[in-house]
Amino acid sequence: MPRFIGPVGVAAAITVAAAPLWVTDVVPVIDYPAHFTRMVLLARDTLDPVTASIYAIDPAIRPNLAMDLVVPAFASLLGVTLATKLFIATALGMWIVGPVAIHRAVWGRFGAESLVAFFFALNAPFFAGFYNFHFGIGLTFLATAAWLVPSRLRWWVVAPVAVAAVAALISHLMAFAVLGLVLFGIEVGRPWRPDEPGLGDRVARLAATFAPGLLVHTVFAASTGTGGGPLTFNLLANLAAPFLYASRAGGMIDPLPAIGVGVVALAAWRSGTLRIAPILRPVLGLAAAAMLVSPSEAFGGAMIHWRMAPILLALFVAAWRIDLPPRSGRRVAAAFLTLALATTAIQAARWREDGRTIDAARAAVAAVTPEGGRVLTALTGGDALAFTHVGDLAIIDRHAFSPSFFTDPAQSPIRLRPAFAAAGAAGSAAGGALFAAELADLADPAATSEAARRRRHLAGWPCRFDTLVVLGRGAAEASPTGGVETTARGPAHAVHRIVRPASGCPAGG
């Protein structure tokens, strides 16, 4: 195979994966509006007086800070929108380059089959907007490739991989943990021969690599805490995770990459053309076990069970090698290429449509919300999850308050001022998507339903907010029939001015 094929293929895969980012201004991904809003605030030299009366910036270093350190540093040169999208595209690139580099390290040649990592870069955490996690795992893949250098160079990579480990920790705590699991698995899978490192040497290298990160984490834990919230498990959700993308690319397409990899691997195994790199076999076993035991929620973070599955799949396509006849290889490559282009085209079309909804709703909210007002966002159903944080954009446009905006001290440098703390979400369960069906119950401060218990900070919302935006199919029909004045509506949005109850509001409401 000509040498240029590898770089060209990688560049093409990254270009195709990142292409939908550019079809709309605000990327319609669950957490993107909140992240973009935070980037705008952090890129400013100082907060304006109205915003500063609601939010404060805490410069303390903590995990989950990759975007918060990188994007504002480049925003003055590129603008916040471009800097944010390039950060996301860079993470996508690392998810593709990393497995290709790992494959190259274990097999000694570029393997086109490793480009299947394209599909697992576009994973459920990516489409949920977990971009610090996504970036940190990308760093983990690159550090793994570096760790796989020949044994004679083993000590030369300790320092750079230790730096990468600290960077992964600052990006996201789970990325640091995954790197530890992967490098431990590699050392277990290394041949135990006289010409290979002994047990003491392997332990010493791992200790030297992770000691700086563990020290930094100790400082983190002492200064910011590790987050709170429940610890929940769902084994069935973990088993289904490899087939979930939450991508809005279409339910029939989403599971195809994982199914396709399984079918191709089984066929190649039956024909004797499949090989798995021995040094990575323990890594795959450990990653599979971690996927099965991952909690659904932990340390204030949600959807943890989504995260290990794409890591396992990316590592698998980095480890596999399929020696197909040229004709069969071209057919398999054509099938995966067709699926990649179809996924991207559908994704771009959906994002363009959703982007228009966000733009229209954003403009309508800005038109009705008073400066420094309070904005509440509600969704009509699960298909509208991409709009969860649209109300947060009013923080930029109207210096407003949005209760869904991320202000967890263990994860975000943005803080709520004490006067607003009671109306802010406490933990991921309370800060998740609010559905329009819950609004009637939440309008009653004395409600005792499960939704009311989870959302005490929103109880009596007609007295505590100025603007309500409802998003998703049938937004107008799903909106409250009383207590609001509709100011704008469209196929997937309805914006309302909230009217205070005739009976009045309690003091401080």
Side-chain angles (χ1 to χ4, degrees):
M1 179 181 296
R3 291 186 178 181
F4 70 86
I5 292 295
V8 169
V10 170
I14 295 171
T15 300
V16 172
L21 292 171
W22 313 103
V23 302
T24 183
D25 184 29
V26 177
V27 181
V29 161
I30 296 176
D31 286 351
Y32 183 92
H35 290 320
F36 178 72
T37 299
R38 191 172 74 256
M39 296 305 102
V40 171
L41 299 185
L42 294 176
R44 296 173 177 172
D45 293 332
T46 57
L47 296 181
D48 63 87
V50 178
T51 303
S53 69
I54 303 171
Y55 299 102
I57 296 176
D58 177 3
I61 298 296
R62 60 183 62 75
N64 207 38
L65 273 188
M67 292 184 77
D68 308 74
L69 295 176
V70 174
V71 172
F74 289 93
S76 59
L77 297 174
L78 304 174
V80 178
T81 298
L82 180 57
T84 303
K85 290 184 178 181
L86 286 177
F87 174 87
I88 296 170
T90 299
L92 277 172
M94 291 192 293
W95 269 76
I96 294 171
V97 172
V100 170
I102 294 170
H103 185 96
R104 174 70 175 80
V106 296
W107 292 113
R109 54 93 162 141
F110 166 75
E113 61 266 49
S114 62
L115 285 174
V116 176
F118 165 94
F119 295 106
F120 310 120
L122 295 164
N123 51 51
F126 172 85
F127 288 111
F130 300 162
Y131 294 128
N132 287 328
F133 164 82
H134 203 248
F135 188 89
I137 296 299
L139 289 174
T140 292
F141 288 143
L142 295 181
T144 300
W147 193 260
L148 288 164
V149 299
S151 294
R152 66 180 182 277
L153 301 174
R154 60 189 180 274
W155 278 100
W156 289 100
V157 302
V158 167
V161 175
V163 171
V166 173
L169 172 66
I170 294 173
S171 297
H172 197 277
L173 179 60
M174 187 172 172
F176 181 73
V178 169
L179 181 59
L181 178 146
V182 170
L183 298 195
F184 173 77
I186 288 173
E187 292 308 310
V188 170
R190 248 185 232 283
W192 294 85
R193 300 191 307 252
D195 60 326
E196 291 286 349
L199 177 61
D201 186 89
R202 300 181 195 210
V203 171
R205 282 192 301 129
L206 289 172
T209 299
F210 289 98
L214 292 172
L215 178 61
V216 171
H217 177 58
T218 301
V219 175
F220 285 164
S223 61
T224 64
T226 56
L231 185 68
T232 60
F233 293 86
N234 187 331
L235 178 59
L236 291 179
N238 291 2
L239 291 172
F243 308 103
L244 298 179
Y245 280 67
S247 64
R248 308 256 309 151
M252 294 300 293
I253 288 180
D254 290 349
L256 288 183
I259 293 173
V261 165
V263 169
V264 171
L266 179 61
W269 173 73
R270 288 174 63 92
S271 65
T273 59
L274 174 68
R275 287 189 281 171
I276 303 296
I279 197 171
L280 292 180
R281 290 173 187 171
V283 174
L284 297 177
L286 290 169
M291 183 190 75
L292 291 176
V293 302
S294 290
S296 301
E297 187 174 351
F299 303 115
M303 297 178 285
I304 307 299
H305 59 291
W306 277 4
R307 308 189 192 201
M308 276 307 302
I311 296 170
L312 170 62
L313 290 163
L315 289 170
F316 181 79
V317 299
W320 73 348
R321 174 173 177 170
I322 304 175
D323 297 315
L324 293 175
R327 187 173 181 178
S328 299
R330 285 193 294 269
R331 288 176 178 172
V332 172
F336 274 106
L337 177 61
T338 300
L339 182 59
L341 293 174
T343 300
T344 299
I346 295 172
Q347 189 66 54
R350 292 288 178 87
W351 276 8
R352 184 185 293 275
E353 177 187 348
D354 288 350
R356 289 173 181 154
T357 297
I358 290 175
D359 291 343
R362 179 181 183 181
V365 168
V368 71
T369 303
E371 177 131 336
R374 300 186 180 202
V375 177
L376 185 62
T377 302
L379 310 180
T380 60
D383 64 325
L385 286 174
F387 305 134
T388 300
H389 292 281
V390 166
D392 296 355
L393 296 168
I395 298 170
I396 303 170
D397 300 331
R398 298 300 296 156
H399 315 293
F401 164 75
S402 174
S404 62
F405 191 51
F406 298 126
T407 55
D408 184 343
Q411 299 185 33
S412 173
I414 304 293
R415 295 280 184 280
L416 272 174
R417 296 291 188 183
F420 289 83
S428 60
L434 170 67
F435 294 105
E438 299 174 316
L439 289 173
D441 199 21
L442 296 178
D444 178 7
T448 59
S449 68
E450 176 62 25
R453 284 195 293 272
R454 284 190 295 112
R455 303 186 185 279
R456 292 187 181 94
H457 60 297
L458 301 180
W461 61 266
C463 288
R464 307 180 74 181
F465 292 89
D466 303 291
T467 305
L468 171 67
V469 54
V470 181
L471 292 138
R473 296 174 185 168
E477 293 77 9
S479 296
T481 56
V484 298
E485 293 178 357
T486 303
T487 60
R489 66 179 61 186
H493 78 278
V495 177
H496 313 279
R497 179 186 292 109
I498 296 174
V499 179
R500 296 291 184 262
S503 58
C505 292

